[in-house]
Amino acid sequence: MKVLVCGGAGYIGSNMTYILAENDYEPIVYDNLSKGHASAIKKFELVRGDLADTELLEKTLAEKKIEAVMHFAAFIEVGESMQNPLEFYRNNVSNTQNLLSAMEKCGVGKFVFSSTAAVYGMPDAVPIIEELPKQAINSYGETKWAVERMCHFQSLTGRLNYAALRYFNACGAGQNGTIGEDHSPESHLIPLIIAAAMGKREDVKIFGNDYPTPDGTCIRDYIHIEDLCSAHLLALQKLDSQSELLYNLGNGKGYSVSQVIETVKRVSGKDFKVTASPRRPGDPPVLTADATKAIKELNWQVKYPELEKIVETAWKWHSENPDGYVD
Ligand code: UFG
């Protein structure tokens, strides 16, 4: 089956591209390379294009005989989403509407969508189950929720089968630590800590140490990139018979910022400066997933339940690629 991987040159999309190929799918990457890295997907076919380019999208879907689309091409920086909400709506919502319209026109009816735990905002209870209220507190989460609703209504027409997968904290490197995380600028905790361990940053800043958690720092649910991608594959297979799939994807286990820092110190064998900083606006104290639904319905099995192993893969990638991807 030919699968168009929108945003396939990005961190999650590139890992997904490899996993699709390993499982006898034929991935074709569609990416404008505004954030992604062509060198991450050298082995694969790349259509360099924008999701706003209706003509190129329709041509690609039709000529390549695409049967399913996986969509990772979105802006993800929460802070930026509050500075430029209209840009987020344009890229994350309008461009996805354009993609879905092109799919409808070309008769492509399977769609796997990259959603986020940010749709829950400040949840009333953790671990989070899928039914909790969707009350995003930033425009990033709200744009992802808007797309979920768009897919829901389109699925009711019978012309779309879709899966919305709500990620918690994606991390680690896939393909034996060879396909890693390289954002610019970087804002994610694990790569920032690793940069400090490599001497590329002066320190690691802990955003708030007075949260109501055992060590006062925020707790998150870190899920290895390959585990995340394996759930996408299972969801895609289930779309043969189901029109709407909604799953949280997380390990179900939380680690605090301080625990993550200690883990990187252990794995890397390096020490570095850690500085207490003010809270980052909009950070809930604890975000962990109840992924029971995905585990049961998709038979999803996590290969990396332990943070230590996840960090080892990230450390391997960063130490072997100290300058990130060189395109
Ligand atoms: N943190 C620090 N110092 C840093 C960077 C982060 O203390 O330098 C803390 C944050 O405050 C947070 C935790 O580390 O408590 C994790 O932060 P990340 O920025 O790595 O990840 P988030 O949990 O904020 O966000 C991630 C994704 C989002 C997604 C969200 C859903 O990056 O795209 O999970 O929960 F929306």
Side-chain angles (χ1 to χ4, degrees), residues 254-312:
Y255 291 91
S256 72
V257 173
S258 292
Q259 286 175 315
V260 180
I261 292 171
E262 288 313 310
T263 306
V264 175
K265 284 188 176 175
R266 257 197 321 276
V267 168
S268 65
K270 309 276 184 198
D271 200 9
F272 44 86
K273 192 171 154 202
V274 177
T275 312
S277 292
R279 290 184 178 196
R280 190 172 67 176
D283 266 342
V286 182
L287 279 181
T288 52
D290 183 333
T292 310
K293 195 166 167 248
I295 292 165
K296 279 198 181 148
E297 293 183 10
L298 297 175
N299 290 321
W300 183 42
Q301 284 170 355
V302 168
K303 282 199 308 189
Y304 292 89
E306 296 303 327
L307 185 63
E308 189 104 6
K309 297 278 173 219
I310 297 177
V311 168
E312 279 173 20

Side-chain angles (χ1 to χ4, degrees), residues 224-243:
H224 191 269
I225 188 73
E226 275 182 7
D227 286 329
L228 203 65
C229 291
S230 72
H232 287 63
L233 197 66
L234 295 165
L236 175 62
Q237 288 157 358
K238 209 174 172 64
L239 289 181
D240 284 340
S241 57
Q242 304 276 314
S243 60

Side-chain angles (χ1 to χ4, degrees), residues 116 140 169 187-189 192 205 207 218 220 280 283 287:
T116 171
Y140 166 67
N169 293 63
S187 68
H188 295 89
L189 182 64
L192 287 174
K205 296 193 170 31
F207 296 152
C218 283
R220 293 289 179 273
R280 190 172 67 176
D283 266 342
L287 279 181

Side-chain angles (χ1 to χ4, degrees), residues 57-296:
L57 259 181
E58 290 177 358
K59 184 170 173 279
T60 306
L61 291 169
E63 284 182 2
K64 310 269 179 211
K65 300 192 173 24
I66 300 294
E67 290 172 74
V69 173
M70 289 191 169
H71 179 25
F72 304 93
F75 291 157
I76 59 165
E77 283 301 322
V78 172
E80 197 186 316
S81 84
M82 300 304 278
Q83 299 301 317
N84 296 310
L86 296 181
E87 269 302 286
F88 269 64
Y89 274 81
R90 181 191 60 75
N91 191 39
N92 294 7
V93 182
S94 305
N95 282 351
T96 305
Q97 179 267 311
N98 203 44
L99 171 61
L100 289 168
S101 296
M103 287 172 60
E104 179 174 55
K105 189 160 171 201
C106 299
V108 181
K110 286 185 192 155
F111 188 59
V112 179
F113 175 61
S114 170
S115 188
T116 171
V119 299
Y120 300 108
M122 298 275 184
D124 302 329
V126 286
I128 296 172
I129 54 169
E130 285 82 356
E131 291 72 24
L132 280 195
K134 313 307 173 296
Q135 42 197 18
I137 55 164
N138 48 59
S139 92
Y140 166 67
E142 200 60 49
T143 59
K144 291 286 182 172
W145 178 235
V147 172
E148 285 202 26
R149 297 311 288 162
M150 185 155 60
C151 291
H152 167 72
F153 287 106
Q154 181 67 359
S155 78
L156 296 181
T157 67
R159 299 192 288 275
L160 184 74
N161 288 1
Y162 83 102
L165 305 178
R166 299 177 188 146
Y167 311 158
F168 284 66
N169 293 63
C171 54
Q175 304 296 310
N176 297 315
T178 60
I179 303 296
E181 182 171 12
D182 181 9
H183 297 111
S184 181
E186 189 53 80
S187 68
H188 295 89
L189 182 64
I190 292 176
L192 287 174
I193 303 174
I194 289 177
M198 293 172 72
K200 290 168 64 184
R201 295 181 74 89
E202 193 187 314
D203 64 352
V204 174
K205 296 193 170 31
I206 296 186
F207 296 152
N209 58 10
D210 56 352
Y211 282 99
T213 60
D215 64 20
T217 66
C218 283
I219 292 177
R220 293 289 179 273
D221 183 330
Y222 296 89
I223 177 83
H224 191 269
I225 188 73
E226 275 182 7
D227 286 329
L228 203 65
C229 291
S230 72
H232 287 63
L233 197 66
L234 295 165
L236 175 62
Q237 288 157 358
K238 209 174 172 64
L239 289 181
D240 284 340
S241 57
Q242 304 276 314
S243 60
E244 183 167 57
L245 300 173
L246 306 170
Y247 297 116
N248 286 338
L249 299 181
N251 248 322
K253 195 170 167 186
Y255 291 91
S256 72
V257 173
S258 292
Q259 286 175 315
V260 180
I261 292 171
E262 288 313 310
T263 306
V264 175
K265 284 188 176 175
R266 257 197 321 276
V267 168
S268 65
K270 309 276 184 198
D271 200 9
F272 44 86
K273 192 171 154 202
V274 177
T275 312
S277 292
R279 290 184 178 196
R280 190 172 67 176
D283 266 342
V286 182
L287 279 181
T288 52
D290 183 333
T292 310
K293 195 166 167 248
I295 292 165
K296 279 198 181 148

